[in-house]
Amino acid sequence: MEKETKQILLKINDLAVQYTSGDSVVSAVNGVSFELEKGETLGLVGETGAGKTTIAKTILRILPDPPAKIRSGQVIYNGTDLLEMSEKEVRKIRGKKISMIFQDPMTALNPMFPVGKQITEAIKIHEPLTTAQAKERAVQMLELVGIPGERYGEYPHQFSGGMKQRVVIALAIACNPELLIADEPTTALDVTIQAQVLEMMTQLKEKLSTSMILITHDLGIVAEMCDRVAIIYAGEIVEMGNREHIFDEPVHPYTKGLFEALPSVNMKAKRLKPIEGLTPDPANLPKGCKFHPRCPYATPQCADRIPELKEITKGHWTRCSASRKEGV
Amino acid sequence: MIMDTIIEVKGLKKYFKTPSGICHAVDGVDLSIERGKTVGIVGESGCGKSTLGRTMIHLTESTEGSIVFNGEDITRVGKAKLKELREKMQIIFQDPFSSLNPRMTAYETIEEPLRISKRFGKKEIAERTVALMRLVGIDKRIENSYPHELDGGRRQRIVIARALALKPELVICDEPVSALDVSIQAQILNLLQDLQENMKLTYVFITHDMSVVRYLSQYICVMYLGQVVEHCPTERLFENPLHPYTKALLSAIPVPDIHMPRKRVVLKGEVTSPINPKPGCRFFARCPHAAEACRRNQGLVEAEKDHFVMCSRLKEIG
């Protein structure tokens, strides 16, 4: 028997979130469950509208309600359900224990205040420090992400995109969070700058032993950063496993399709194999398996029944009736 | 062998006046493109690749240099002639959300250039519009849809159909798939490839995505701060990149393969400003091999056959 030493930091159970506007109901997240161990980096991968950001916002309790409504589910963090907490209690956790790096550094910072002051403010809210001590810590944070402390008093517009994203990261880690949610942290950056930021994030993670949920659409970044991966399609996890499972033995047709649709930088492909069709309209999701209209392996029964997420080998889960047979 | 050149650009410069000085967006680019081929222009944001694309077809006026398209210098021709030549040069922009008129349906958008050209009768316009929609794979059901009702992939198909309406010879594709999801991106790339074969199109493909250019183009120019720092046939660039910037750029791409050994060159610092650039190599401040010699202005040198590099320290770097 394998020794159970893993410590679960976050456990999400059967989360469902809908957005309502007028008469239409958009099912953004449909029964998502996953666990995150301490110190682990989990990648949430999916295309636009798959529900990745909605999951992140639910964990932080920053979903705008209305239009968003949590229909079911639990977000168990260190044994307590975040969704049951009062706003006052959540505030002690948000920004302190769990913090988030947003995609666009241009909008995540307040243009009216010097960057250092924004970090100091975040520290003062959560830590019993004097202003001078908080300021000292803010300077340390800036230096940790590679920004000279002298730039404390500068405003966001005086920084380039890559530097701004570093400030956002400094802000997110200022209170030593246990869990960092990074939502497309490098999508707005150039590749050479992205390489710098990713390297810095890896180092910080090791230094501070933070757990991380990394939201991205880029499988290259996942290969570089993540221990485990969940592939999300139309608000459902369609495949989940460790990096070897996903990169070496993907089983879900959508995961396979994603890999085949990517042009490679290492090889010249004759022709790409796109996934046919379009991502489904979340206001009008197909019945049965949500991928079946685009799936090359679909059978008539795929349109009737929603396949369950099943474990095919230890730690490797997939939501597909075809691959379930393979697994037996 | 005689090369059938569709467009040749010589010493092209585009400077913008800004409050803080002169921005050298494109600073002396020479480029010659063979008919029916795809040339990829790669580089990071702010390197001048989009300005180069626009200036090449005279959408923005050049500051200096000549642009010879089908034997005619388009920087010197009159307005009427330019209008005629414009039909042969089209551009596809990155964001199909802002390049389409929100008040025009798919059908109207594609039909408009045919109407404006005044060359076709009503019936022919209708026939051609329907044919164009079929060509780019737009379902007849959505011909009366407005852009906001459509997803990014379909919108980009409309943009492509409109660009192809008057049978252009040269199409500038400015990041045409960057705003699209992976699964849709592959559909549009395949479409562009098919259209090129069927219509004998020449593409200038502007992108920051190296894997996309590798897939589509036969020739690549790498730009850094307004200059082409390396150009050669596509495969050669990937097999044997020579310029230190190209090397860093290629090594920085995250590869979706967990078994790839990676030797990453992480660059220090950030792209320097294109406003009033210092003389000498533009990459000086970030280059791991920078030396005194790099403070002099650099020129493109043919390092091996058909492989040009702007770096005076190639031998030392090895």
Side-chain angles (χ1 to χ4, degrees), chain A residues 199-217:
Chain A
E199 200 184 67
M200 188 197 79
M201 283 174 62
T202 312
Q203 284 170 4
L204 286 177
K205 225 185 79 77
E206 275 166 24
K207 218 186 233 164
L208 311 170
S209 58
T210 319
S211 315
M212 185 152 78
I213 295 179
L214 180 68
I215 297 173
T216 180
H217 66 277

Side-chain angles (χ1 to χ4, degrees), chain A residues 179-208:
Chain A
L179 171 61
L180 192 59
I181 304 174
D183 188 0
E184 305 265 9
T186 56
T187 308
L189 308 176
D190 278 320
V191 257
T192 58
I193 307 298
Q194 166 174 286
Q196 292 173 355
V197 171
L198 289 180
E199 200 184 67
M200 188 197 79
M201 283 174 62
T202 312
Q203 284 170 4
L204 286 177
K205 225 185 79 77
E206 275 166 24
K207 218 186 233 164
L208 311 170

Side-chain angles (χ1 to χ4, degrees), chain A residues 48 160 190 192 196 265 275, chain B residues 44-45 181 187 214 267 270:
Chain A
T48 320
S160 65
D190 278 320
T192 58
Q196 292 173 355
V265 77
I275 301 175
Chain B
E44 297 180 287
S45 49
D181 272 321
Q187 294 174 3
R214 181 160 206 182
L267 293 174
E270 317 234 339

